[in-house]
Amino acid sequence: MQRPVFAANWKMHHGPSDARAFLRSFLAHYARRPDRQVIFFPPAVSLAAVVDGLRERQDIQVGVQNIHWEDKGAYTGETSAGMARDAGADLALVGHSERRHVFGETDEQTAAKVAAAVRAGLVPMLCVGEKLEERERGETESVVLRQLRAGIAKVEPHAVAGMLFAYEPVWAIGTGRNATPDDAAAIHGVIRRELLSILGEKAKAVPILYGGSVNRGNAQALLQAADVGGLLVGGASLDSEGWSTIVRT
Ligand code: PGA
């Protein structure tokens, strides 16, 4: 049994001052625990503040919410994986549904970002998930498999074995409508079987997180579902006391 992963995706919340205040309060509530992995994905401008706030807490990791697929160049407003690594990030979130559906990112761009992260020494957390209309058309499995296969197409299997994955049904994100533990287990099983076919036994150790309206009331039941190795949490990770309760689930 792998230790569960608890990842906070702050989205466009918590600038540097709020991030520092959050960590002061969170660290007072969350003592080091070797039986779980905690990750923060702050906005890029707060990365340095979070890395600094966690310098005494090497047990907690930090990631960026987005990277560009090129290593450098004329891409105004963008952040490269290498720069994020240099600023102290360990991981990069790639293929989040808001990147795909609000910013129009394609499977091809997602794959290129996964490859850029790996080149720079960042661990990618690849997000996949179907939209409501896709679920209603019975396409959940095919959409998730398409996004998964495309997302890892540009990296070698040994890199895939070091990645993290997150299943986030789009209809459950920020809506208060979470998937049931059975829904999550079914799709996590699909992802696990696909990873097993690529990686063999090593796939068993790859964390697959569930995300979408996770809160302190449903965290435990979701974590107990088969093949759910952690939680990727947006809204409920924004308040330090609530988040510290979730990571102690
Ligand atoms: P939510 O967001 O917990 O607010 O639904 C999850 C996510 O988008 O990662």
Side-chain angles (χ1 to χ4, degrees):
M1 184 53 194
Q2 295 295 306
R3 55 190 186 139
V5 180
F6 294 86
N9 173 14
W10 283 352
K11 310 191 181 190
M12 202 169 72
H13 299 278
H14 291 339
S17 313
D18 285 353
R20 278 189 212 98
F22 178 105
L23 286 179
R24 274 195 297 277
S25 152
F26 173 75
L27 295 178
H29 287 100
Y30 177 68
R32 194 180 297 263
R33 285 189 54 166
D35 60 341
R36 52 211 51 219
Q37 182 178 358
V38 177
I39 303 168
F40 284 99
F41 290 101
V45 287
S46 301
L47 188 62
V50 172
V51 168
D52 188 51
L54 293 173
R55 67 186 180 284
E56 309 289 327
R57 293 292 297 265
Q58 300 298 319
D59 57 312
I60 300 175
Q61 293 177 297
V62 184
V64 271
Q65 297 173 9
N66 182 38
I67 50 170
H68 195 268
W69 57 83
E70 294 289 351
D71 297 336
K72 60 181 168 198
Y75 300 104
T76 302
E78 293 290 315
T79 304
S80 76
M83 291 169 189
R85 181 88 189 108
D86 186 28
D90 307 298
L91 298 101
L93 213 52
V94 183
H96 188 276
S97 70
E98 286 146 22
R99 299 303 317 173
R100 294 177 190 271
H101 304 304
V102 182
F103 297 98
E105 264 176 37
T106 63
D107 283 341
E108 178 73 13
Q109 289 167 336
T110 299
K113 289 182 177 203
V114 167
V118 170
R119 274 199 305 281
L122 291 178
V123 174
M125 182 185 288
L126 176 66
C127 304
V128 297
E130 82 287 4
K131 295 196 274 191
L132 183 59
E133 58 268 33
E134 292 166 331
R135 168 162 284 246
E136 285 169 346
R137 287 198 299 264
E139 295 170 3
T140 299
E141 218 176 294
S142 63
V143 168
V144 164
L145 282 175
R146 191 203 76 228
Q147 293 176 342
L148 175 63
R149 289 174 182 149
I152 59 177
K154 294 185 196 292
V155 289
E156 299 292 331
H158 71 85
V160 177
M163 287 175 58
L164 291 87
F165 293 85
Y167 169 55
E168 297 201 304
V170 180
W171 48 270
I173 296 180
T175 57
R177 239 187 102 176
N178 66 299
T180 64
D182 286 348
D183 290 332
I187 303 307
H188 282 236
V190 169
I191 297 171
R192 181 77 67 202
R193 282 191 291 282
E194 178 67 14
L195 292 174
L196 280 165
S197 76
I198 302 165
L199 303 173
E201 285 296 293
K202 277 191 194 152
K204 292 188 177 160
V206 174
I208 307 170
L209 284 68
Y210 171 78
S213 295
V214 174
N215 56 44
R216 42 177 137 180
N218 60 26
Q220 185 164 19
L222 286 162
L223 260 186
Q224 280 167 352
D227 282 311
V228 174
L231 302 170
L232 177 56
V233 184
S237 73
L238 292 175
D239 125 72
S240 62
E241 220 182 300
W243 178 235
S244 67
T245 306
I246 292 176
V247 298
R248 283 184 273 123
T249 302

